[in-house]
Amino acid sequence: MNFTSSFSDYNVFNKKVKYDKNKYPFSNLVEKIYDCSLCNIHTLTDKNYPLFTVLGKDTHTNLHKKFYNHIDTVDSTLKELYKEFIKEVIFPYLNLKEGLYQVFPTYRIMLPNNVAVTKKHYDSDRDHLHPKGEINFILSLTDMYDTNSIWTESYPRLGDFKPFSLLPGDVYCFCGNLCEHFNKINKTGKTRVSMDFRILPLHCVDKINHTLSVTTGKKFSEGGYYNKLIINNK
């Protein structure tokens, strides 16, 4: 899939989607894990993390471990809610009846004076090797703005980098598979917490290269990095 067909196939990129926070209380559920306002969870650790520069290390702090331990061993509500969200919000937005979706979102914590991703990149580049055709979403659990947001170009290699502003209750669709994006150092004094995930339409499945995800170590395949969803309207 080249740049042109990727953008003409889907009139969905660079758009904000609102969802019902009462039905999908993602922020509240994650906040309960820490018993602290998410924008201040950096105050819960006395560990001074140096600026993240190594791929994958940015998603393995003690705060990340606390999150994953909770959803894996204490309460799986967030996992079930995510599956429902994909079926009832994301697939309808994309006008998809079937496709692959990331098994569980990548959980991001952007600490003050640090970054949540280590380098400017696009997901299908030589360092990340995601299959072409993926559609990216980011779901904000805190306010995202200015230097604690993601800076992305609107079209591949256009270089018009801008941050997008999101609130809890927003999910943003962008073509991170082909468009470069990066973090500036977070100078807001607040932690940004978010989840991002990817959808792969079935007509793009033949582009899967079966390499491993940098963050999860799983193969880019159904049953690995992705699950398959088929919506039957009966």
Side-chain angles (χ1 to χ4, degrees):
M1 180 178 288
N2 59 36
F3 294 163
T4 303
S5 66
S6 174
F7 276 75
S8 62
D9 284 348
Y10 298 100
N11 184 28
V12 296
F13 295 121
N14 306 323
K15 292 183 179 178
K16 188 185 301 184
V17 181
K18 297 283 188 179
Y19 65 88
D20 185 349
K21 290 190 297 181
N22 292 320
K23 186 173 184 179
Y24 301 104
F26 294 115
S27 292
N28 289 343
L29 287 172
V30 177
E31 196 164 84
K32 288 179 181 178
I33 296 173
Y34 299 101
D35 193 25
C36 176
S37 172
L38 291 180
C39 66
N40 291 317
I41 60 173
H42 57 278
T43 64
L44 299 179
T45 177
D46 57 4
K47 186 172 177 60
N48 185 22
Y49 290 97
L51 185 67
F52 296 123
T53 58
V54 179
L55 287 174
K57 296 296 184 182
D58 44 10
T59 55
H60 290 82
T61 70
N62 290 336
L63 293 170
H64 287 85
K65 292 175 183 177
K66 184 177 181 69
F67 170 82
Y68 286 114
N69 180 68
H70 182 89
I71 65 172
D72 288 340
T73 66
V74 179
D75 186 355
S76 62
T77 300
L78 198 61
K79 292 181 178 180
E80 298 305 316
L81 199 64
Y82 166 67
K83 294 177 185 177
E84 183 179 340
F85 184 74
I86 294 294
K87 180 179 180 180
E88 297 190 355
V89 177
I90 300 303
F91 268 42
Y93 173 71
L94 297 174
N95 196 28
L96 287 179
K97 297 296 183 184
E98 56 184 11
L100 302 184
Y101 68 95
Q102 189 171 333
V103 171
F104 191 74
T106 305
Y107 181 60
R108 307 282 184 185
I109 299 174
M110 189 177 187
L111 300 167
N113 299 312
N114 217 317
V115 294
V117 293
T118 59
K119 62 183 292 187
K120 182 188 292 183
H121 71 282
Y122 55 96
D123 287 2
S124 60
D125 67 18
R126 67 180 64 183
D127 290 324
H128 297 80
L129 298 173
H130 283 248
K132 295 286 183 66
E134 277 186 339
I135 303 167
N136 295 62
F137 288 87
I138 184 161
L139 189 153
S140 58
L141 300 175
T142 59
D143 293 359
M144 288 183 63
Y145 59 97
D146 196 30
T147 57
N148 77 11
S149 186
I150 294 173
W151 292 63
T152 183
E153 53 187 355
S154 63
Y155 192 88
R157 310 308 163 263
L158 191 60
D160 58 338
F161 296 101
K162 293 180 181 179
F164 45 79
S165 297
L166 301 178
L167 300 172
D170 296 336
V171 60
Y172 189 78
C173 181
F174 71 110
C175 191
N177 188 258
L178 297 174
C179 290
E180 284 193 311
H181 49 285
F182 70 100
N183 288 158
K184 292 190 176 185
I185 295 176
N186 179 8
K187 296 297 184 180
T188 67
K190 301 292 184 181
T191 294
R192 181 257 289 179
V193 183
S194 60
M195 300 191 298
D196 54 84
F197 55 91
R198 294 143 187 85
I199 305 297
L200 189 68
L202 288 189
H203 72 269
C204 298
V205 169
D206 61 348
K207 302 179 187 303
I208 291 178
N209 49 35
H210 297 289
T211 53
L212 301 181
S213 162
V214 172
T215 54
T216 68
K218 294 181 179 179
K219 285 186 177 181
F220 290 116
S221 61
E222 183 183 347
Y225 190 80
Y226 308 105
N227 281 336
K228 187 174 184 178
L229 174 63
I230 299 176
I231 300 176
N232 295 313
N233 294 326
K234 296 183 180 179

